[in-house]
Amino acid sequence: ATIRSVYANGQGVTIDRRGTKAGHQYRLLGHSLSGDLVVEPYPITLSREAEAYPVFQHAGIEFIYMLSGEVTYRHADKTYPLRPGDALMFDAGAPHGPEVLDRLPSSYLSIIIYVSE
């Protein structure tokens, strides 16, 4: 059977993560578990009060698709300027996150994929 999650605009579960305290809002739009593989899609909003937070680390692979605003995103020892329409996919075990908040507010879609333990 196919697993489906449907959320209308503004719905989803607001998630508290380390960055939330720094003006980062995460809204979980589904949680798919197929065998050992977990997929978690998050639209992330960085408010005008957001602070840089380039030190997230967690298991899995992360895919980011920039929707609005501009940030310079760090992954390990490299930085990437992200503008609307830009995408980045990386190993989430290395330190990562928005290092320079070039134009706020900003938003991007983050999809995290990992193997459950």
Side-chain angles (χ1 to χ4, degrees):
T2 302
I3 299 171
R4 293 194 172 111
S5 295
V6 178
Y7 293 88
N9 188 16
Q11 289 184 333
V13 178
T14 300
I15 303 294
D16 287 328
R17 295 179 64 170
R18 287 175 295 175
T20 305
K21 297 174 185 170
H24 301 212
Q25 181 188 54
Y26 300 79
R27 189 171 296 276
L28 181 61
L29 293 183
H31 184 104
S32 174
L33 178 60
S34 177
D36 293 334
L37 190 63
V38 179
V39 179
E40 296 178 344
Y42 295 92
I44 298 174
T45 301
L46 305 179
S47 71
R48 292 192 189 282
E49 295 77 32
E51 299 172 14
Y53 200 90
V55 292
F56 286 107
Q57 282 184 273
H58 51 85
I61 301 295
E62 186 165 352
F63 172 81
I64 289 177
Y65 183 79
M66 197 72 186
L67 299 169
S68 67
E70 299 176 4
V71 301
T72 300
Y73 203 91
R74 172 166 295 279
H75 177 258
D77 61 349
K78 294 185 179 176
T79 58
Y80 305 89
L82 297 180
R83 310 297 179 253
D86 291 344
L88 183 63
M89 192 162 129
F90 53 86
D91 174 359
H96 62 277
E99 182 167 272
V100 180
L101 307 176
D102 301 297
R103 187 164 58 91
L104 295 176
S106 291
S107 63
Y108 54 92
L109 176 63
S110 169
I111 301 173
I112 300 170
I113 304 160
Y114 60 95
V115 175
S116 66
E117 296 181 16

PDB file of all heavy atoms in Angstrom, residues 7-24:
ATOM      1  N   TYR A   7      -1.403  17.745   3.605  1.00  0.00           N
ATOM      2  CA  TYR A   7      -1.534  18.872   4.521  1.00  0.00           C
ATOM      3  C   TYR A   7      -1.906  20.111   3.731  1.00  0.00           C
ATOM      4  O   TYR A   7      -1.270  20.426   2.734  1.00  0.00           O
ATOM      5  CB  TYR A   7      -0.216  19.139   5.256  1.00  0.00           C
ATOM      6  CG  TYR A   7       0.157  18.033   6.212  1.00  0.00           C
ATOM      7  CD1 TYR A   7       0.885  16.941   5.780  1.00  0.00           C
ATOM      8  CD2 TYR A   7      -0.237  18.084   7.537  1.00  0.00           C
ATOM      9  CE1 TYR A   7       1.218  15.913   6.648  1.00  0.00           C
ATOM     10  CE2 TYR A   7       0.092  17.063   8.420  1.00  0.00           C
ATOM     11  CZ  TYR A   7       0.822  15.983   7.964  1.00  0.00           C
ATOM     12  OH  TYR A   7       1.141  14.980   8.823  1.00  0.00           O
ATOM     13  N   ALA A   8      -2.920  20.830   4.192  1.00  0.00           N
ATOM     14  CA  ALA A   8      -3.279  22.110   3.577  1.00  0.00           C
ATOM     15  C   ALA A   8      -2.287  23.169   4.051  1.00  0.00           C
ATOM     16  O   ALA A   8      -1.592  22.985   5.051  1.00  0.00           O
ATOM     17  CB  ALA A   8      -4.701  22.505   3.963  1.00  0.00           C
ATOM     18  N   ASN A   9      -2.238  24.282   3.337  1.00  0.00           N
ATOM     19  CA  ASN A   9      -1.349  25.383   3.690  1.00  0.00           C
ATOM     20  C   ASN A   9      -1.536  25.767   5.153  1.00  0.00           C
ATOM     21  O   ASN A   9      -2.650  25.932   5.618  1.00  0.00           O
ATOM     22  CB  ASN A   9      -1.635  26.581   2.780  1.00  0.00           C
ATOM     23  CG  ASN A   9      -0.625  27.684   2.958  1.00  0.00           C
ATOM     24  OD1 ASN A   9       0.440  27.482   3.529  1.00  0.00           O
ATOM     25  ND2 ASN A   9      -0.951  28.848   2.462  1.00  0.00           N
ATOM     26  N   GLY A  10      -0.425  25.871   5.890  1.00  0.00           N
ATOM     27  CA  GLY A  10      -0.470  26.253   7.296  1.00  0.00           C
ATOM     28  C   GLY A  10      -0.644  25.091   8.250  1.00  0.00           C
ATOM     29  O   GLY A  10      -0.558  25.267   9.456  1.00  0.00           O
ATOM     30  N   GLN A  11      -0.908  23.895   7.732  1.00  0.00           N
ATOM     31  CA  GLN A  11      -1.046  22.733   8.600  1.00  0.00           C
ATOM     32  C   GLN A  11       0.313  22.075   8.796  1.00  0.00           C
ATOM     33  O   GLN A  11       1.307  22.494   8.249  1.00  0.00           O
ATOM     34  CB  GLN A  11      -2.021  21.728   7.993  1.00  0.00           C
ATOM     35  CG  GLN A  11      -3.453  22.187   8.012  1.00  0.00           C
ATOM     36  CD  GLN A  11      -4.384  21.109   7.497  1.00  0.00           C
ATOM     37  OE1 GLN A  11      -4.007  20.261   6.707  1.00  0.00           O
ATOM     38  NE2 GLN A  11      -5.621  21.145   7.956  1.00  0.00           N
ATOM     39  N   GLY A  12       0.326  21.028   9.551  1.00  0.00           N
ATOM     40  CA  GLY A  12       1.566  20.330   9.868  1.00  0.00           C
ATOM     41  C   GLY A  12       1.872  20.530  11.345  1.00  0.00           C
ATOM     42  O   GLY A  12       1.266  21.350  12.026  1.00  0.00           O
ATOM     43  N   VAL A  13       2.810  19.775  11.839  1.00  0.00           N
ATOM     44  CA  VAL A  13       3.163  19.812  13.253  1.00  0.00           C
ATOM     45  C   VAL A  13       4.398  20.691  13.423  1.00  0.00           C
ATOM     46  O   VAL A  13       5.430  20.447  12.814  1.00  0.00           O
ATOM     47  CB  VAL A  13       3.461  18.384  13.766  1.00  0.00           C
ATOM     48  CG1 VAL A  13       3.871  18.417  15.223  1.00  0.00           C
ATOM     49  CG2 VAL A  13       2.265  17.482  13.546  1.00  0.00           C
ATOM     50  N   THR A  14       4.276  21.738  14.250  1.00  0.00           N
ATOM     51  CA  THR A  14       5.427  22.586  14.534  1.00  0.00           C
ATOM     52  C   THR A  14       6.382  21.811  15.425  1.00  0.00           C
ATOM     53  O   THR A  14       5.986  21.242  16.435  1.00  0.00           O
ATOM     54  CB  THR A  14       4.999  23.902  15.227  1.00  0.00           C
ATOM     55  OG1 THR A  14       4.111  24.588  14.347  1.00  0.00           O
ATOM     56  CG2 THR A  14       6.200  24.782  15.512  1.00  0.00           C
ATOM     57  N   ILE A  15       7.646  21.777  15.016  1.00  0.00           N
ATOM     58  CA  ILE A  15       8.658  20.988  15.699  1.00  0.00           C
ATOM     59  C   ILE A  15       9.650  21.919  16.389  1.00  0.00           C
ATOM     60  O   ILE A  15      10.117  22.885  15.783  1.00  0.00           O
ATOM     61  CB  ILE A  15       9.428  20.096  14.684  1.00  0.00           C
ATOM     62  CG1 ILE A  15       8.466  19.186  13.926  1.00  0.00           C
ATOM     63  CG2 ILE A  15      10.532  19.310  15.366  1.00  0.00           C
ATOM     64  CD1 ILE A  15       7.785  18.150  14.759  1.00  0.00           C
ATOM     65  N   ASP A  16       9.978  21.624  17.626  1.00  0.00           N
ATOM     66  CA  ASP A  16      11.026  22.363  18.323  1.00  0.00           C
ATOM     67  C   ASP A  16      12.343  21.649  18.110  1.00  0.00           C
ATOM     68  O   ASP A  16      12.488  20.475  18.439  1.00  0.00           O
ATOM     69  CB  ASP A  16      10.733  22.437  19.826  1.00  0.00           C
ATOM     70  CG  ASP A  16       9.599  23.377  20.149  1.00  0.00           C
ATOM     71  OD1 ASP A  16       9.438  24.368  19.412  1.00  0.00           O
ATOM     72  OD2 ASP A  16       8.883  23.126  21.122  1.00  0.00           O
ATOM     73  N   ARG A  17      13.284  22.385  17.511  1.00  0.00           N
ATOM     74  CA  ARG A  17      14.638  21.875  17.344  1.00  0.00           C
ATOM     75  C   ARG A  17      15.577  22.943  17.850  1.00  0.00           C
ATOM     76  O   ARG A  17      15.164  24.042  18.167  1.00  0.00           O
ATOM     77  CB  ARG A  17      14.907  21.553  15.872  1.00  0.00           C
ATOM     78  CG  ARG A  17      14.026  20.413  15.370  1.00  0.00           C
ATOM     79  CD  ARG A  17      14.266  20.101  13.945  1.00  0.00           C
ATOM     80  NE  ARG A  17      15.629  19.617  13.750  1.00  0.00           N
ATOM     81  CZ  ARG A  17      16.054  19.092  12.618  1.00  0.00           C
ATOM     82  NH1 ARG A  17      15.261  18.970  11.609  1.00  0.00           N
ATOM     83  NH2 ARG A  17      17.300  18.680  12.501  1.00  0.00           N
ATOM     84  N   ARG A  18      16.848  22.651  17.900  1.00  0.00           N
ATOM     85  CA  ARG A  18      17.807  23.615  18.447  1.00  0.00           C
ATOM     86  C   ARG A  18      17.701  24.976  17.783  1.00  0.00           C
ATOM     87  O   ARG A  18      17.770  25.996  18.433  1.00  0.00           O
ATOM     88  CB  ARG A  18      19.234  23.083  18.304  1.00  0.00           C
ATOM     89  CG  ARG A  18      19.534  21.968  19.267  1.00  0.00           C
ATOM     90  CD  ARG A  18      20.891  21.389  19.011  1.00  0.00           C
ATOM     91  NE  ARG A  18      20.914  20.765  17.691  1.00  0.00           N
ATOM     92  CZ  ARG A  18      21.991  20.256  17.132  1.00  0.00           C
ATOM     93  NH1 ARG A  18      23.143  20.305  17.750  1.00  0.00           N
ATOM     94  NH2 ARG A  18      21.933  19.699  15.948  1.00  0.00           N
ATOM     95  N   GLY A  19      17.518  25.022  16.482  1.00  0.00           N
ATOM     96  CA  GLY A  19      17.448  26.291  15.769  1.00  0.00           C
ATOM     97  C   GLY A  19      16.181  27.086  16.003  1.00  0.00           C
ATOM     98  O   GLY A  19      16.138  28.268  15.736  1.00  0.00           O
ATOM     99  N   THR A  20      15.138  26.424  16.515  1.00  0.00           N
ATOM    100  CA  THR A  20      13.865  27.105  16.734  1.00  0.00           C
ATOM    101  C   THR A  20      14.046  28.322  17.629  1.00  0.00           C
ATOM    102  O   THR A  20      13.431  29.353  17.431  1.00  0.00           O
ATOM    103  CB  THR A  20      12.842  26.143  17.373  1.00  0.00           C
ATOM    104  OG1 THR A  20      12.739  24.999  16.535  1.00  0.00           O
ATOM    105  CG2 THR A  20      11.477  26.791  17.501  1.00  0.00           C
ATOM    106  N   LYS A  21      14.902  28.234  18.613  1.00  0.00           N
ATOM    107  CA  LYS A  21      15.139  29.329  19.541  1.00  0.00           C
ATOM    108  C   LYS A  21      15.816  30.511  18.864  1.00  0.00           C
ATOM    109  O   LYS A  21      15.855  31.592  19.398  1.00  0.00           O
ATOM    110  CB  LYS A  21      15.980  28.840  20.716  1.00  0.00           C
ATOM    111  CG  LYS A  21      15.266  27.776  21.534  1.00  0.00           C
ATOM    112  CD  LYS A  21      16.153  27.214  22.597  1.00  0.00           C
ATOM    113  CE  LYS A  21      15.435  26.063  23.300  1.00  0.00           C
ATOM    114  NZ  LYS A  21      16.302  25.329  24.178  1.00  0.00           N
ATOM    115  N   ALA A  22      16.364  30.310  17.695  1.00  0.00           N
ATOM    116  CA  ALA A  22      17.089  31.363  16.988  1.00  0.00           C
ATOM    117  C   ALA A  22      16.266  31.907  15.823  1.00  0.00           C
ATOM    118  O   ALA A  22      16.806  32.353  14.837  1.00  0.00           O
ATOM    119  CB  ALA A  22      18.433  30.832  16.506  1.00  0.00           C
ATOM    120  N   GLY A  23      14.921  31.840  15.903  1.00  0.00           N
ATOM    121  CA  GLY A  23      14.073  32.375  14.845  1.00  0.00           C
ATOM    122  C   GLY A  23      13.876  31.445  13.666  1.00  0.00           C
ATOM    123  O   GLY A  23      13.505  31.883  12.589  1.00  0.00           O
ATOM    124  N   HIS A  24      14.123  30.151  13.864  1.00  0.00           N
ATOM    125  CA  HIS A  24      13.937  29.153  12.814  1.00  0.00           C
ATOM    126  C   HIS A  24      12.661  28.386  13.136  1.00  0.00           C
ATOM    127  O   HIS A  24      12.535  27.824  14.216  1.00  0.00           O
ATOM    128  CB  HIS A  24      15.097  28.162  12.778  1.00  0.00           C
ATOM    129  CG  HIS A  24      16.425  28.780  12.546  1.00  0.00           C
ATOM    130  ND1 HIS A  24      17.418  28.108  11.871  1.00  0.00           N
ATOM    131  CD2 HIS A  24      16.950  29.986  12.874  1.00  0.00           C
ATOM    132  CE1 HIS A  24      18.501  28.868  11.809  1.00  0.00           C
ATOM    133  NE2 HIS A  24      18.236  30.014  12.421  1.00  0.00           N
TER     134      HIS A  24
END
